[in-house]
Amino acid sequence: MTQSTLHRNALASALALVLFAPLAAMAQDAPQGAAAQDQVTEVEKITVTGSRIKRTDIEGPAPVTVMTAEQIKAEGFVTVYDALSTLNEAIGTVEADVQWGSHTPNASPLNLRNMGPNRSLLLVNGRRVADYPLPYGGQSNFANYSNIPAAAVERIEVLTGGASAIYGSDAIAGVINVILKKNYSGDEIRVRGGTSTEGGRDTWDLSWAGGKTGDKWSVSYALQWTKRDALFGRDRPQMDDSDDAAPSSWNTEQRKVGFRPFTGLALLDAGNGNRRLAPPAGACEQFRGEYYRADRLTYNYGTDTISNTGQLCGKSADFADWLLRSGSEDWSAYAHATWDFSDNLQGWVNVALYDSKAQWGSSPPSLQLTDGLDGGAFIDANTGRRLIGVRSFTPVEVGGMDNMRNLNKEQSWDLSAGLSGTVFDGRFNWDASVGRSRYTVHERIATVDWDQAENFFLGPQIGTQDGLPVYNFNEARWWSPVTPEQYRQFGVNSINNAASWVNQAQASLSGDLFEGWAGPIGFAAVLEAAKQGYQLDPDPRGNEDYWVQNIDRGGGERTRYSAGIEFKIPLLQSLTLTAAARRDHYGSYEAFDSAARLAIGSQAETTWNAGIEWRPLDNLLLRGSYATSFHAPDMHFLLAQPSTSDVGMTDPLRCIESGASVTNDCGSGNPDVFYAFGANRRGTPDLKSELGESWTVGFVWDAMDNLSLSADYWSIELEDEIRDLPLTTILTDEAGCRTGRTVDPSVPWSNPSGAAYCSTILARVNRDAAGRLVSVETGPINIAQRSVAGIDASLRYRLNTARWGNFQFGLNYTNLISMKEQVYASDPNPERRDRDVRSKVRGSVSWQGEKWNWTVYGDRIGSVPGVRYHWGTDRLDNPGGCRPFPDGYVPSDSLDANCAVPPGSSNPNAGKSTSRYYGRVGPAITWNFNAGYKVTDRAKINFYVNNVFNSTGWNHKDPYKLDYEFYNSRLFSPIGREVSLEYVFDF
């Protein structure tokens, strides 16, 4: 034995002793002796995600994470998305289903490596599927992971980093390849039912998976039904009202006057400072406990006084009818069949179906009299008062909770067929396939028809006074509940439809070209052709008659042609080089709306990668990879049609030209600079592809027969990142491009990206002859850069004993050590890793005995910055904001780098600085446990407890967050502990 071998064995033994001392005593029952060591297993070559060349080694030059169907079940997960969302690689934040104005309420995206949901590629059995039809955040296309039947999954392979040289566009952050069951024999039925121990969230899951095989044929199939009840604010009293916000987040007003309801039933006297008129006696009590009579108090910062602004029928719980977690009922079916025509030719066909009904939404239907677009007030002919009416409708009024919720009906199907075989005496494998995938969404949004509601509550208009409409207002009707029959006179549903599809064909050839000096030279080539499209058909009344969100328009098709080649070259017996290159061409764009036909040029990109595998020892792999990648512009980035809304805000250019300034009436009190105009979001036809580079370096060490460790450093860089320009940025920079100034004389303006940038900005602003804004077009441009880097580490151990059963242990760790992003190339590029999740850990320990088995699973998601909500901009901000002052005042965005309130401000903290930043919230730690008992050879019972220690949003509230739902939904769940029982039967 050499000295190096001795050192290696000693290190491995010491490491095993430290990690697994509790199990070491059981090792005496493991198989011993030469017989166990001499066992030889023939390993079939398989295709691993990241390469089209079949190989016997699972590990390659780039790290691949594998999650099996058995692991998904053992760790307590029901759906594919539930399992994948816990992956360390999915470290980035995604839009939560409780987020205000969510554009994708029934979709489940993943954000690999914090690069965005649209920069990773989903494959099912190695093939692309149709994108989710609705754009993520109203902007980009992405893949939905919730419509894949878990009962049909065999395993999931996750490759992170650039893989465009193998798979083409989108594979910047990685590839998730869901491999479904094939050549399966037998049948299994699983029935699972559960509930939340906190109430309000029942779940059911029923699945049947099986297969049959014959001499020349096989068929595998799966059918699954899953139902999850929606969870509402009323189901969680700890977070259903404004005063459920963490006390540490309360500002001066809340500390002085406490929280008061801001939703409910109110009548405001617009001619008297919007003072709320007192409801008649008994009015609030008519609503079956939904409302109570409440004073509305307002704190005045300048005078440190409290004023009573009147009374209203306030909601007993502001967020009782709001949604905390969407509910859905899902059906999915899958079948895969093969037929052997000969020893060298096999045919196959694959079909997958999905159907879903999902409830979603945030605030329930509400009404403002008038609608706010024609002055926001009306004149009551009976009293002569200028009035504004505001009310939220209750479940009893609308006819039940189901009538308050929005509903998505979704269907998708994927049909493909192909042939595969061998040529040249089995030297090369070939396959060819065609397929079509389609995804449709029918969206029903519960809302109110403004005109019909005004007719019901106000009656016919009888005249005009001072530019405002005059009505004989029936105040008694306003203060009374409506019946469901009355509500149906103005309560309506806005209907939106969306669809996406992809038709594709591909052919590939792989095998060994010839025997090289150190082994066979592996080779693979692929040709692909595809045509993809999407269509958004929103309700045409959405922006005119209804108050609805998610008004996204657009549609079109484009073609893609691709060719790629790959090599695996053994340089030495212990050293292997891999290399690949691919050319993708996107073109032949067609926008479906003739009024929006755009001259869009093609995008053609060549990508390549290279990897190295060095095995200096039989049990040690040193590896590294480099790859270029790209993301062709999402079709909605290119083809989005104008979606118009009226906004009112300050016009920076007129503010500067008029001589006004921040301190000289440049706000809402000056109609020459603050007025309404149209804001349109549209696609940008001349976008370029986003270009990425990534590299990895690491090792895999099989320290012992049953112990494996790995660690990899990874880095991804993205150039020409596509970002939507905010409306405020466009107007600020338009003024800067024209005058070289900002509205604040003390703040200079600098061009962030040169003359070409100003040309782009000026083309987006439309003014009339008097210089007033008519419309502004927002939309995406290639402008930003992003880079991320981190470390992945994993440990796997297995211990088999004759007396004590078999143990498996797995642990994965990821640390995001760097994250940087520049909106403009001239911007500073500081480290921003503290703005999001910095680390994730997941692991499990499983034991299998003769009759019993159990698994303990745990994960830890690192802390994130506290979140504060800006009422003025209706957005969330969490990157290192300033903490409240000692008096409770929450600083605004107009602070300098030291969190100081500008001198001269009316705020009592003017000139002062907190010199502190918002703290972090978290981490979130979740434990799952399950135990199973084998009743007979065919029947088994499993018991699951997910989130054993009831880690929830309400017991981890964000101390800086004032808005619903008062906790960080990226880290914590509102559901709490869930228990379920499952019966499994094989036949």
Side-chain angles (χ1 to χ4, degrees), residues 151 194 206 234 279 315 464 942 986:
L206 172 64
R234 63 178 66 248
K315 289 284 289 185
T464 301
N942 296 318
D986 294 323

Side-chain angles (χ1 to χ4, degrees), residues 77 95 266 341 572 710 731 791 829 889 904 938:
F77 303 113
E95 184 178 77
F341 293 99
L572 301 171
S710 69
L731 292 179
I791 294 175
N829 196 21
Y889 170 71
R938 294 181 178 273

Side-chain angles (χ1 to χ4, degrees), residues 13 32 72 85 119 160 193 229 293 295 323 366 377 385 568 617 697 743 750 758 773 823 826 828 833 844 862 871 949:
S13 300
Q32 304 288 329
I72 293 174
S85 62
R119 298 187 183 95
T160 48
D229 289 344
R293 184 183 295 264
D295 290 328
L323 203 70
S366 58
R385 292 179 301 196
K568 180 183 178 184
L617 303 171
V697 59
V743 295
S750 60
C758 275
L773 288 167
V823 177
S826 59
R833 72 180 288 265
S844 63
W871 296 101
F949 297 105

Side-chain angles (χ1 to χ4, degrees), residues 52-96:
R52 297 183 185 275
I53 299 175
K54 290 187 175 182
R55 54 189 299 158
T56 57
D57 299 315
I58 300 297
E59 299 289 355
V64 176
T65 299
V66 179
M67 180 178 287
T68 65
E70 290 73 20
Q71 179 184 353
I72 293 174
K73 297 170 187 174
E75 293 176 347
F77 303 113
V78 175
T79 70
V80 169
Y81 177 74
D82 288 344
L84 289 178
S85 62
T86 69
L87 287 175
N88 289 1
E89 293 84 350
I91 198 170
T93 300
V94 296
E95 184 178 77

Side-chain angles (χ1 to χ4, degrees), residues 388-410:
I388 298 174
V390 179
R391 74 184 294 162
S392 297
F393 293 100
T394 67
V396 174
E397 290 180 289
V398 305
M401 290 294 294
D402 287 346
N403 291 331
M404 300 186 72
R405 300 269 60 86
N406 305 326
L407 178 68
N408 270 29
K409 294 182 179 181
E410 302 185 2

